[in-house]
């Protein structure tokens, strides 16, 4: 069983200007002890994917419209918020993009 498995993830944002499809069917897996780098141009959905995995997506305007996020086999998208909160921080963490402002260099 993978540590993390993201399957066909879809995320969209509902704004005044319409619906923005930010993530369109992303799938990947990460094994324990493995490092995965995701590359893509600015705005291609890397941060939004990470926010969805962490459960810190702004909803609204964001909405996860499809897919599964399995953490040690458990679908995080079907887990109640209190159980997700117990995973976040203890077993899963995120270093934010502007690392110099969130980490002591
Ligand atoms: N809160 C939001 N409201 C509306 N649109 C958003 C919001 N957050 C992200 N988006 C849109 O989602 C898309 C994906 O953005 P994201 O930040 O994931 O890109 P990225 O791949 O991390 O880019 P970068 O390399 O610049 O960090 C972009 O089109 C962005 O404008
Ligand atoms: Mg980003």
């Amino acid at each position: 069983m993978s540590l993390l498995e993201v399957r066909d993830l879809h995320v969209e944002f509902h704004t005044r200007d319409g619906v923005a499809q930010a993530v369109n069917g992303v799938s990947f897996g990460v094994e324990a002890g493995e490092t995965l780098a995701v590359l893509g141009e600015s705005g291609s959905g890397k941060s939004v994917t990470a926010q969805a995995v962490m459960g810190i997506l702004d909803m609204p305007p964001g909405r996860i419209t499809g897919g599964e996020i399995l953490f040690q086999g458990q679908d995080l998208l079907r887990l109640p918020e209190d159980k997700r909160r117990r995973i976040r921080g203890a077993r899963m963490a995120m270093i934010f993009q502007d690392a110099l402002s969130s980490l002591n260099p």
Side-chain angles (χ1 to χ4, degrees), residues 11-15 20-23 40-51 57-58 60-62 97:
V11 183
E12 56 188 38
F13 289 96
H14 290 249
T15 70
Q21 250 109 37
V23 177
E41 66 185 275
S42 186
S44 59
K46 305 180 296 292
S47 291
V48 169
T49 299
Q51 287 161 11
L57 200 62
D58 275 336
Q97 190 152 353

PDB file of all heavy atoms in Angstrom, residues 11-15 20-23 40-51 57-58 60-62 97, ligand 1:
ATOM      1  N   VAL A  11      -9.944  19.807  -9.077  1.00  0.00           N
ATOM      2  CA  VAL A  11     -10.260  20.948  -8.212  1.00  0.00           C
ATOM      3  C   VAL A  11     -10.629  22.138  -9.089  1.00  0.00           C
ATOM      4  O   VAL A  11      -9.960  22.411 -10.090  1.00  0.00           O
ATOM      5  CB  VAL A  11      -9.055  21.346  -7.325  1.00  0.00           C
ATOM      6  CG1 VAL A  11      -9.439  22.489  -6.391  1.00  0.00           C
ATOM      7  CG2 VAL A  11      -8.524  20.162  -6.540  1.00  0.00           C
ATOM      8  N   GLU A  12     -11.714  22.811  -8.719  1.00  0.00           N
ATOM      9  CA  GLU A  12     -12.078  24.023  -9.456  1.00  0.00           C
ATOM     10  C   GLU A  12     -12.364  25.161  -8.487  1.00  0.00           C
ATOM     11  O   GLU A  12     -12.621  24.953  -7.302  1.00  0.00           O
ATOM     12  CB  GLU A  12     -13.268  23.774 -10.394  1.00  0.00           C
ATOM     13  CG  GLU A  12     -14.504  23.240  -9.731  1.00  0.00           C
ATOM     14  CD  GLU A  12     -15.586  22.833 -10.739  1.00  0.00           C
ATOM     15  OE1 GLU A  12     -15.263  22.286 -11.814  1.00  0.00           O
ATOM     16  OE2 GLU A  12     -16.768  23.060 -10.430  1.00  0.00           O
ATOM     17  N   PHE A  13     -12.287  26.386  -9.012  1.00  0.00           N
ATOM     18  CA  PHE A  13     -12.569  27.580  -8.226  1.00  0.00           C
ATOM     19  C   PHE A  13     -13.741  28.312  -8.835  1.00  0.00           C
ATOM     20  O   PHE A  13     -13.765  28.548 -10.041  1.00  0.00           O
ATOM     21  CB  PHE A  13     -11.346  28.507  -8.185  1.00  0.00           C
ATOM     22  CG  PHE A  13     -10.226  27.961  -7.351  1.00  0.00           C
ATOM     23  CD1 PHE A  13      -9.184  27.269  -7.944  1.00  0.00           C
ATOM     24  CD2 PHE A  13     -10.214  28.126  -5.986  1.00  0.00           C
ATOM     25  CE1 PHE A  13      -8.150  26.750  -7.177  1.00  0.00           C
ATOM     26  CE2 PHE A  13      -9.195  27.613  -5.206  1.00  0.00           C
ATOM     27  CZ  PHE A  13      -8.158  26.920  -5.804  1.00  0.00           C
ATOM     28  N   HIS A  14     -14.680  28.654  -7.989  1.00  0.00           N
ATOM     29  CA  HIS A  14     -15.845  29.403  -8.460  1.00  0.00           C
ATOM     30  C   HIS A  14     -15.638  30.870  -8.107  1.00  0.00           C
ATOM     31  O   HIS A  14     -15.625  31.233  -6.940  1.00  0.00           O
ATOM     32  CB  HIS A  14     -17.126  28.855  -7.826  1.00  0.00           C
ATOM     33  CG  HIS A  14     -17.477  27.500  -8.348  1.00  0.00           C
ATOM     34  ND1 HIS A  14     -18.564  27.265  -9.157  1.00  0.00           N
ATOM     35  CD2 HIS A  14     -16.827  26.319  -8.229  1.00  0.00           C
ATOM     36  CE1 HIS A  14     -18.584  25.982  -9.498  1.00  0.00           C
ATOM     37  NE2 HIS A  14     -17.554  25.392  -8.944  1.00  0.00           N
ATOM     38  N   THR A  15     -15.418  31.664  -9.115  1.00  0.00           N
ATOM     39  CA  THR A  15     -15.171  33.094  -8.909  1.00  0.00           C
ATOM     40  C   THR A  15     -16.239  33.900  -9.642  1.00  0.00           C
ATOM     41  O   THR A  15     -17.054  33.350 -10.394  1.00  0.00           O
ATOM     42  CB  THR A  15     -13.788  33.498  -9.440  1.00  0.00           C
ATOM     43  OG1 THR A  15     -13.807  33.430 -10.862  1.00  0.00           O
ATOM     44  CG2 THR A  15     -12.703  32.559  -8.925  1.00  0.00           C
ATOM     45  N   ALA A  20     -12.892  28.290 -12.705  1.00  0.00           N
ATOM     46  CA  ALA A  20     -11.530  28.007 -13.147  1.00  0.00           C
ATOM     47  C   ALA A  20     -11.194  26.572 -12.774  1.00  0.00           C
ATOM     48  O   ALA A  20     -11.266  26.184 -11.604  1.00  0.00           O
ATOM     49  CB  ALA A  20     -10.553  28.970 -12.483  1.00  0.00           C
ATOM     50  N   GLN A  21     -10.871  25.768 -13.791  1.00  0.00           N
ATOM     51  CA  GLN A  21     -10.482  24.380 -13.545  1.00  0.00           C
ATOM     52  C   GLN A  21      -8.987  24.349 -13.229  1.00  0.00           C
ATOM     53  O   GLN A  21      -8.157  24.426 -14.122  1.00  0.00           O
ATOM     54  CB  GLN A  21     -10.777  23.523 -14.775  1.00  0.00           C
ATOM     55  CG  GLN A  21     -11.905  22.553 -14.559  1.00  0.00           C
ATOM     56  CD  GLN A  21     -13.151  22.915 -15.319  1.00  0.00           C
ATOM     57  OE1 GLN A  21     -13.068  23.392 -16.440  1.00  0.00           O
ATOM     58  NE2 GLN A  21     -14.302  22.691 -14.722  1.00  0.00           N
ATOM     59  N   ALA A  22      -8.652  24.262 -11.947  1.00  0.00           N
ATOM     60  CA  ALA A  22      -7.254  24.394 -11.524  1.00  0.00           C
ATOM     61  C   ALA A  22      -6.506  23.069 -11.604  1.00  0.00           C
ATOM     62  O   ALA A  22      -5.326  23.030 -11.932  1.00  0.00           O
ATOM     63  CB  ALA A  22      -7.192  24.951 -10.108  1.00  0.00           C
ATOM     64  N   VAL A  23      -7.173  21.984 -11.273  1.00  0.00           N
ATOM     65  CA  VAL A  23      -6.552  20.646 -11.317  1.00  0.00           C
ATOM     66  C   VAL A  23      -7.496  19.726 -12.079  1.00  0.00           C
ATOM     67  O   VAL A  23      -8.669  19.609 -11.728  1.00  0.00           O
ATOM     68  CB  VAL A  23      -6.290  20.111  -9.885  1.00  0.00           C
ATOM     69  CG1 VAL A  23      -5.727  18.698  -9.934  1.00  0.00           C
ATOM     70  CG2 VAL A  23      -5.340  21.034  -9.121  1.00  0.00           C
ATOM     71  N   GLY A  40       6.043  21.942 -13.062  1.00  0.00           N
ATOM     72  CA  GLY A  40       5.036  22.462 -13.972  1.00  0.00           C
ATOM     73  C   GLY A  40       5.065  23.967 -13.962  1.00  0.00           C
ATOM     74  O   GLY A  40       5.537  24.582 -13.004  1.00  0.00           O
ATOM     75  N   GLU A  41       4.555  24.553 -15.021  1.00  0.00           N
ATOM     76  CA  GLU A  41       4.608  26.003 -15.128  1.00  0.00           C
ATOM     77  C   GLU A  41       3.754  26.670 -14.059  1.00  0.00           C
ATOM     78  O   GLU A  41       2.902  26.020 -13.441  1.00  0.00           O
ATOM     79  CB  GLU A  41       4.197  26.451 -16.529  1.00  0.00           C
ATOM     80  CG  GLU A  41       2.753  26.166 -16.869  1.00  0.00           C
ATOM     81  CD  GLU A  41       2.453  26.543 -18.328  1.00  0.00           C
ATOM     82  OE1 GLU A  41       2.152  27.708 -18.578  1.00  0.00           O
ATOM     83  OE2 GLU A  41       2.518  25.653 -19.182  1.00  0.00           O
ATOM     84  N   SER A  42       3.993  27.953 -13.862  1.00  0.00           N
ATOM     85  CA  SER A  42       3.258  28.706 -12.855  1.00  0.00           C
ATOM     86  C   SER A  42       1.764  28.662 -13.156  1.00  0.00           C
ATOM     87  O   SER A  42       1.344  28.882 -14.300  1.00  0.00           O
ATOM     88  CB  SER A  42       3.767  30.146 -12.848  1.00  0.00           C
ATOM     89  OG  SER A  42       3.164  30.856 -11.803  1.00  0.00           O
ATOM     90  N   GLY A  43       0.968  28.329 -12.147  1.00  0.00           N
ATOM     91  CA  GLY A  43      -0.475  28.277 -12.325  1.00  0.00           C
ATOM     92  C   GLY A  43      -0.982  26.928 -12.797  1.00  0.00           C
ATOM     93  O   GLY A  43      -2.169  26.763 -13.074  1.00  0.00           O
ATOM     94  N   SER A  44      -0.081  25.928 -12.881  1.00  0.00           N
ATOM     95  CA  SER A  44      -0.513  24.624 -13.401  1.00  0.00           C
ATOM     96  C   SER A  44      -1.179  23.764 -12.331  1.00  0.00           C
ATOM     97  O   SER A  44      -1.669  22.676 -12.645  1.00  0.00           O
ATOM     98  CB  SER A  44       0.676  23.886 -14.030  1.00  0.00           C
ATOM     99  OG  SER A  44       1.702  23.681 -13.083  1.00  0.00           O
ATOM    100  N   GLY A  45      -1.179  24.223 -11.064  1.00  0.00           N
ATOM    101  CA  GLY A  45      -1.967  23.514 -10.058  1.00  0.00           C
ATOM    102  C   GLY A  45      -1.165  22.735  -9.027  1.00  0.00           C
ATOM    103  O   GLY A  45      -1.738  21.932  -8.289  1.00  0.00           O
ATOM    104  N   LYS A  46       0.128  22.983  -8.941  1.00  0.00           N
ATOM    105  CA  LYS A  46       0.959  22.241  -7.977  1.00  0.00           C
ATOM    106  C   LYS A  46       0.552  22.568  -6.544  1.00  0.00           C
ATOM    107  O   LYS A  46       0.349  21.666  -5.721  1.00  0.00           O
ATOM    108  CB  LYS A  46       2.456  22.565  -8.200  1.00  0.00           C
ATOM    109  CG  LYS A  46       2.932  22.322  -9.628  1.00  0.00           C
ATOM    110  CD  LYS A  46       4.397  22.660  -9.812  1.00  0.00           C
ATOM    111  CE  LYS A  46       4.713  24.132  -9.595  1.00  0.00           C
ATOM    112  NZ  LYS A  46       4.134  25.003 -10.655  1.00  0.00           N
ATOM    113  N   SER A  47       0.463  23.864  -6.242  1.00  0.00           N
ATOM    114  CA  SER A  47       0.116  24.251  -4.863  1.00  0.00           C
ATOM    115  C   SER A  47      -1.306  23.838  -4.519  1.00  0.00           C
ATOM    116  O   SER A  47      -1.575  23.386  -3.400  1.00  0.00           O
ATOM    117  CB  SER A  47       0.283  25.765  -4.674  1.00  0.00           C
ATOM    118  OG  SER A  47       1.646  26.120  -4.723  1.00  0.00           O
ATOM    119  N   VAL A  48      -2.213  23.981  -5.466  1.00  0.00           N
ATOM    120  CA  VAL A  48      -3.614  23.603  -5.203  1.00  0.00           C
ATOM    121  C   VAL A  48      -3.710  22.099  -4.940  1.00  0.00           C
ATOM    122  O   VAL A  48      -4.450  21.657  -4.058  1.00  0.00           O
ATOM    123  CB  VAL A  48      -4.516  24.040  -6.383  1.00  0.00           C
ATOM    124  CG1 VAL A  48      -5.899  23.428  -6.274  1.00  0.00           C
ATOM    125  CG2 VAL A  48      -4.604  25.561  -6.430  1.00  0.00           C
ATOM    126  N   THR A  49      -2.938  21.304  -5.665  1.00  0.00           N
ATOM    127  CA  THR A  49      -2.903  19.855  -5.411  1.00  0.00           C
ATOM    128  C   THR A  49      -2.424  19.582  -3.988  1.00  0.00           C
ATOM    129  O   THR A  49      -3.034  18.793  -3.251  1.00  0.00           O
ATOM    130  CB  THR A  49      -1.976  19.159  -6.434  1.00  0.00           C
ATOM    131  OG1 THR A  49      -2.500  19.378  -7.742  1.00  0.00           O
ATOM    132  CG2 THR A  49      -1.870  17.670  -6.169  1.00  0.00           C
ATOM    133  N   ALA A  50      -1.336  20.264  -3.589  1.00  0.00           N
ATOM    134  CA  ALA A  50      -0.804  20.056  -2.232  1.00  0.00           C
ATOM    135  C   ALA A  50      -1.803  20.511  -1.176  1.00  0.00           C
ATOM    136  O   ALA A  50      -1.970  19.855  -0.141  1.00  0.00           O
ATOM    137  CB  ALA A  50       0.518  20.818  -2.083  1.00  0.00           C
ATOM    138  N   GLN A  51      -2.490  21.626  -1.444  1.00  0.00           N
ATOM    139  CA  GLN A  51      -3.492  22.109  -0.483  1.00  0.00           C
ATOM    140  C   GLN A  51      -4.646  21.121  -0.353  1.00  0.00           C
ATOM    141  O   GLN A  51      -5.178  20.916   0.741  1.00  0.00           O
ATOM    142  CB  GLN A  51      -4.017  23.483  -0.919  1.00  0.00           C
ATOM    143  CG  GLN A  51      -3.012  24.608  -0.707  1.00  0.00           C
ATOM    144  CD  GLN A  51      -3.341  25.845  -1.546  1.00  0.00           C
ATOM    145  OE1 GLN A  51      -4.423  25.938  -2.128  1.00  0.00           O
ATOM    146  NE2 GLN A  51      -2.401  26.777  -1.610  1.00  0.00           N
ATOM    147  N   LEU A  57      -7.459  23.612   1.547  1.00  0.00           N
ATOM    148  CA  LEU A  57      -7.937  24.355   0.390  1.00  0.00           C
ATOM    149  C   LEU A  57      -9.037  25.318   0.840  1.00  0.00           C
ATOM    150  O   LEU A  57      -9.877  24.951   1.654  1.00  0.00           O
ATOM    151  CB  LEU A  57      -8.501  23.345  -0.609  1.00  0.00           C
ATOM    152  CG  LEU A  57      -8.658  23.714  -2.070  1.00  0.00           C
ATOM    153  CD1 LEU A  57      -7.313  24.027  -2.697  1.00  0.00           C
ATOM    154  CD2 LEU A  57      -9.321  22.555  -2.789  1.00  0.00           C
ATOM    155  N   ASP A  58      -9.020  26.526   0.329  1.00  0.00           N
ATOM    156  CA  ASP A  58     -10.078  27.490   0.653  1.00  0.00           C
ATOM    157  C   ASP A  58     -11.370  27.067  -0.045  1.00  0.00           C
ATOM    158  O   ASP A  58     -11.485  27.146  -1.261  1.00  0.00           O
ATOM    159  CB  ASP A  58      -9.677  28.892   0.164  1.00  0.00           C
ATOM    160  CG  ASP A  58      -8.816  29.603   1.183  1.00  0.00           C
ATOM    161  OD1 ASP A  58      -8.908  29.250   2.381  1.00  0.00           O
ATOM    162  OD2 ASP A  58      -8.063  30.504   0.790  1.00  0.00           O
ATOM    163  N   PRO A  60     -15.491  27.696   0.167  1.00  0.00           N
ATOM    164  CA  PRO A  60     -15.216  28.240  -1.155  1.00  0.00           C
ATOM    165  C   PRO A  60     -14.056  29.247  -1.095  1.00  0.00           C
ATOM    166  O   PRO A  60     -13.699  29.629   0.014  1.00  0.00           O
ATOM    167  CB  PRO A  60     -16.551  28.919  -1.505  1.00  0.00           C
ATOM    168  CG  PRO A  60     -17.136  29.320  -0.196  1.00  0.00           C
ATOM    169  CD  PRO A  60     -16.690  28.276   0.779  1.00  0.00           C
ATOM    170  N   PRO A  61     -13.546  29.623  -2.261  1.00  0.00           N
ATOM    171  CA  PRO A  61     -14.053  29.401  -3.621  1.00  0.00           C
ATOM    172  C   PRO A  61     -13.674  28.047  -4.214  1.00  0.00           C
ATOM    173  O   PRO A  61     -14.202  27.664  -5.242  1.00  0.00           O
ATOM    174  CB  PRO A  61     -13.393  30.515  -4.424  1.00  0.00           C
ATOM    175  CG  PRO A  61     -12.083  30.746  -3.732  1.00  0.00           C
ATOM    176  CD  PRO A  61     -12.357  30.521  -2.264  1.00  0.00           C
ATOM    177  N   GLY A  62     -12.748  27.323  -3.573  1.00  0.00           N
ATOM    178  CA  GLY A  62     -12.316  26.051  -4.140  1.00  0.00           C
ATOM    179  C   GLY A  62     -13.338  24.959  -3.946  1.00  0.00           C
ATOM    180  O   GLY A  62     -14.180  25.020  -3.029  1.00  0.00           O
ATOM    181  N   GLN A  97       5.276  27.749   0.075  1.00  0.00           N
ATOM    182  CA  GLN A  97       6.078  28.112  -1.078  1.00  0.00           C
ATOM    183  C   GLN A  97       7.131  29.165  -0.768  1.00  0.00           C
ATOM    184  O   GLN A  97       8.265  29.054  -1.207  1.00  0.00           O
ATOM    185  CB  GLN A  97       5.138  28.622  -2.175  1.00  0.00           C
ATOM    186  CG  GLN A  97       5.797  28.804  -3.501  1.00  0.00           C
ATOM    187  CD  GLN A  97       4.792  28.627  -4.628  1.00  0.00           C
ATOM    188  OE1 GLN A  97       3.644  28.242  -4.398  1.00  0.00           O
ATOM    189  NE2 GLN A  97       5.207  28.896  -5.832  1.00  0.00           N
TER     190      GLN A  97
HETATM  191  N1  LIG B   1      -8.157  30.958  -4.024  1.00  0.00           N
HETATM  192  C1  LIG B   1      -8.174  30.875  -5.372  1.00  0.00           C
HETATM  193  N2  LIG B   1      -9.179  31.441  -6.090  1.00  0.00           N
HETATM  194  C2  LIG B   1      -9.214  31.345  -7.436  1.00  0.00           C
HETATM  195  N3  LIG B   1      -8.288  30.726  -8.175  1.00  0.00           N
HETATM  196  C3  LIG B   1      -7.253  30.161  -7.517  1.00  0.00           C
HETATM  197  C4  LIG B   1      -7.135  30.214  -6.092  1.00  0.00           C
HETATM  198  N4  LIG B   1      -5.990  29.551  -5.719  1.00  0.00           N
HETATM  199  C5  LIG B   1      -5.442  29.122  -6.877  1.00  0.00           C
HETATM  200  N5  LIG B   1      -6.184  29.485  -7.946  1.00  0.00           N
HETATM  201  C6  LIG B   1      -5.893  29.177  -9.366  1.00  0.00           C
HETATM  202  O1  LIG B   1      -5.580  27.813  -9.498  1.00  0.00           O
HETATM  203  C7  LIG B   1      -4.589  27.615 -10.516  1.00  0.00           C
HETATM  204  C8  LIG B   1      -3.462  26.783  -9.965  1.00  0.00           C
HETATM  205  O2  LIG B   1      -2.699  27.562  -9.051  1.00  0.00           O
HETATM  206  P1  LIG B   1      -1.481  27.007  -8.193  1.00  0.00           P
HETATM  207  O3  LIG B   1      -1.206  28.026  -7.144  1.00  0.00           O
HETATM  208  O4  LIG B   1      -1.773  25.614  -7.741  1.00  0.00           O
HETATM  209  O5  LIG B   1      -0.310  26.964  -9.255  1.00  0.00           O
HETATM  210  P2  LIG B   1       1.209  26.476  -9.044  1.00  0.00           P
HETATM  211  O6  LIG B   1       1.414  25.331  -9.984  1.00  0.00           O
HETATM  212  O7  LIG B   1       1.462  26.216  -7.595  1.00  0.00           O
HETATM  213  O8  LIG B   1       2.022  27.750  -9.548  1.00  0.00           O
HETATM  214  P3  LIG B   1       3.449  28.338  -9.037  1.00  0.00           P
HETATM  215  O9  LIG B   1       4.502  27.567  -9.783  1.00  0.00           O
HETATM  216  O10 LIG B   1       3.399  29.769  -9.466  1.00  0.00           O
HETATM  217  O11 LIG B   1       3.498  28.173  -7.547  1.00  0.00           O
HETATM  218  C9  LIG B   1      -4.195  29.015 -10.977  1.00  0.00           C
HETATM  219  O12 LIG B   1      -4.898  29.291 -12.160  1.00  0.00           O
HETATM  220  C10 LIG B   1      -4.650  29.904  -9.842  1.00  0.00           C
HETATM  221  O13 LIG B   1      -4.981  31.192 -10.302  1.00  0.00           O
END
